[in-house]
Amino acid sequence: MAKKIRVLIAKPGLDGHDRGAKVVARALKDAGFEVIYTGIRQTPKQIAMTAIQEDVDAVGLSCLSGAHKKLFPEVVKHLKELGGDDIIVFGGGIIPKEDIPYLKKHGIKEIFLPGTDTKETIEFIKENVRKGD
Amino acid sequence: MGKYEELKQQWEKSVEKAISKFPERREKFETTSGIEIKRLYTPEDIEGKDYAEDIGFPGVYPFTRGVQPTMYRGRFWTMRQYAGFGTAEETNKRYRYLLEQGQTGLSVAFDLPTQIGYDSDNELSMGEVGKVGVAIDTLADMEILFDGIDLGKVSTSMTINSPAAILLCMYAAVAEKQGVPMENLRGTIQNDILKEYFARGTYIFPPKESMKIVTDIFEFCKDKMPKWNTISISGYHIREAGSSAVQEVAFTLADGIAYVQAAIDAGLDVDSFAKRLSFFFNAHNNFIEEIAKFRAARRLWARIMKERFGAKDPRSCMLRFHTQTAGSTLTAQQPDNNIIRVTLQALAAVLGGTQSLHTNSRDEALSLPTEDSVRIALRTQQIIAYESGVADSIDPFAGSYMLEKLTDEIEERAMEYIKKIDEMGGMIKAIETGYVHQEISNSAYEYQRAVESKQQIVVGVNEFIIEEDEEHELLKIDEEVERFQIEKLKKVKAQRDSNQVSKKLKELETAAKENKNVIPYIYEAVKTYATLQEICDTLRGVFGEYKASSIL
């Protein structure tokens, strides 16, 4: 049997709104993934380190405070430094559409906006994780 | 058989017939709190109600119909738009704009570093400076924020919790410079730390130490700032985190009970501080449940204060509250539809007897609101106030079979929660064991599933979808704000008397260690231009920091 897909759901920065992060985490769990939730107020470096330690396949970032342009790319940068280049990073929150190209350019594979069906996120992870397996 | 029975049977028969041909839209109709909604409410639903005991008159215990004898016939609710972004300079401009547009009170949004006690130059503040509110590092920023605004005339609400004492002292210091004495200041600090642990996230110190600071503020203000609302016990964020209406009432009032108990335990007389407690609720979508919620909360709090805490002053039993429409109901899709959602929510708040109101802007699922959007939101309140006529009679829906029944049911169910929490050993225990998080989180997840299965329709999101062209004008926070703010902080630090700063911080540290009331010491420290973080760090050194768990 294949190993379960492991996903880290994380809240970078100081934003405390974690309803969305928790709902996504639970939906991923119900979809059969192994899910770790960091809790709020994590630095990008802490998130990258947890991702490596927990050997996850994907990291989902949530930010509603408007700090996504600074914080999401920082997570990607730290992941690279720690040898986690193969980990898929995706995100969600209050993110203006026009910021999406910038985030994608900086290594965030997909951004899910408010109102996204969790099934979409689940499909995305299934499609993108372990393409090479 | 009486006429009533006869007609009722007739109707029931016709219902049966109708349903056999056309089934109803759902098997069961429910509110957000799982209260079953009947097909029809009749006089039977309010049978045995004691009007004087349960409903009564406005301005009279148990205040079901409102806390003032004339309500909006005297004066409309305070129209208070929550605002703040970027620097104090920019926010000051927005305040002056809002006051010119007829807003009647100010409401300050602080950025996250300010709310969590970090200066703008802290590494942890990276990316967050000026984003969700205005950045305040020292008294110098506060002076700019209120420049040209007479603090003797305006009432100001500040959404600040863990560092509430510091911002309050800065506000008082600005007023002092304007020549306005402390005892004349009117406004509110949120200062509701408990909900931060399970719904909002801007805690600094552990619960027990945080409660000490809250109690210190009560004690300080009862003599020095008697017109100031020392706390705004907030259900708003509990609801935003996903709770139901009943949970919002239950957990908010359970927090309230914890604060009152803490102050009594610290030796304060209940009637000396309770009249300065205020509340803050959410106005959500389910229109009638929301109106009932406000009425139920008012009645339940009155009963708790009188029966549980033995309050004698009727003002101690009054639940006065601010309301904000529900940010979490706003959609990024077809954002103009949000204006309608906000209108319905605001109307529920007014029919529920709110003392002040913030209406959300249509673009808040996308970013901070633009000036245009904020104006429409304010106009929504003005139209309700000046054109709809709903403010001309007090509690106009009272006596509605359904509304009175729902008011009763919400009160009963909230009381059941409060009993459960009491059995756990009180709200702090219930928070520490994760019970409260879990209850809210379960409701949030259930709601999401209802949306995804289309049991709950959200217009424009899972039904009535259109292809949208992307162009919305959004408010952008200049990335330069962070640099500008750090520069400003450097300058202030270079110009202040650093010996005075160290001396006042040392005195604060000693006071905290000796378990004295820390507020007068914080006041002295802010006047030396000690930074927010320097003061918080001093207290962190004595009180420690709270480390959260991560409950799903």
Side-chain angles (χ1 to χ4, degrees), chain B residues 242-473:
Chain B
S243 84
S244 68
V246 164
Q247 288 170 335
E248 182 188 353
V249 173
F251 298 150
T252 308
L253 300 198
D255 282 345
I257 289 170
Y259 294 121
V260 173
Q261 193 60 55
I264 291 173
D265 291 347
L268 301 184
D269 173 60
V270 66
D271 286 314
S272 77
F273 67 88
K275 53 184 175 291
R276 295 322 307 175
L277 306 178
S278 65
F279 289 80
F280 174 23
F281 290 109
N282 198 302
H284 220 267
N285 279 339
N286 196 312
F287 188 66
I288 302 175
E289 183 182 38
E290 289 301 290
I291 304 171
K293 175 187 81 180
F294 298 122
R295 301 172 85 245
R298 215 162 24 229
R299 184 163 73 202
L300 183 51
W301 183 247
R303 288 177 171 161
I304 288 168
M305 289 309 291
K306 188 174 174 185
E307 289 161 19
R308 181 174 181 143
F309 292 114
K312 291 189 184 64
D313 187 339
R315 287 175 302 170
S316 302
C317 302
M318 283 180 193
L319 180 142
R320 297 171 300 124
F321 67 101
H322 172 68
T323 307
Q324 180 171 339
T325 58
S328 61
T329 66
L330 302 182
T331 64
Q333 297 76 10
Q334 304 176 44
D336 285 349
N337 294 346
N338 292 326
I339 297 172
I340 319 302
R341 294 190 176 96
V342 167
T343 306
L344 289 168
Q345 295 163 3
L347 192 55
V350 169
L351 291 168
T354 194
Q355 274 58 63
S356 61
L357 179 61
H358 166 106
T359 33
N360 285 46
S361 297
R362 59 183 164 172
D363 45 1
E364 289 184 46
L366 304 166
S367 94
L368 286 187
T370 62
E371 206 163 84
D372 275 352
S373 300
V374 173
R375 195 185 55 245
I376 295 171
L378 177 60
R379 294 290 181 255
T380 304
Q381 295 197 37
Q382 290 163 335
I383 290 168
I384 293 173
Y386 294 97
E387 298 183 19
S388 78
V390 296
D392 296 348
S393 182
I394 302 163
D395 189 25
F397 284 6
S400 143
Y401 309 125
M402 178 177 180
L403 184 69
E404 294 299 352
K405 181 70 183 168
L406 269 185
T407 304
D408 291 350
E409 285 185 293
I410 290 172
E411 185 185 6
E412 277 160 31
R413 287 177 186 226
M415 199 55 221
E416 275 167 35
Y417 262 118
I418 291 172
K419 275 192 193 133
K420 203 184 265 181
I421 290 165
D422 281 338
E423 280 161 19
M424 288 177 190
M427 196 54 171
I428 295 177
K429 280 272 157 55
I431 293 166
E432 283 171 348
T433 59
Y435 169 75
V436 185
H437 297 65
Q438 199 63 65
E439 284 292 304
I440 296 171
S441 187
N442 289 346
S443 296
Y445 194 47
E446 258 169 50
Y447 176 78
Q448 180 67 19
R449 297 218 309 204
V451 171
E452 294 187 0
S453 65
K454 292 201 183 182
Q455 264 195 318
Q456 173 69 56
I457 297 298
V458 182
V459 173
V461 173
N462 62 0
E463 200 68 88
F464 315 114
I465 300 163
I466 53 167
E467 277 302 316
E468 291 178 76
D469 36 18
E470 317 301 340
E471 295 307 312
H472 299 290
E473 191 206 332

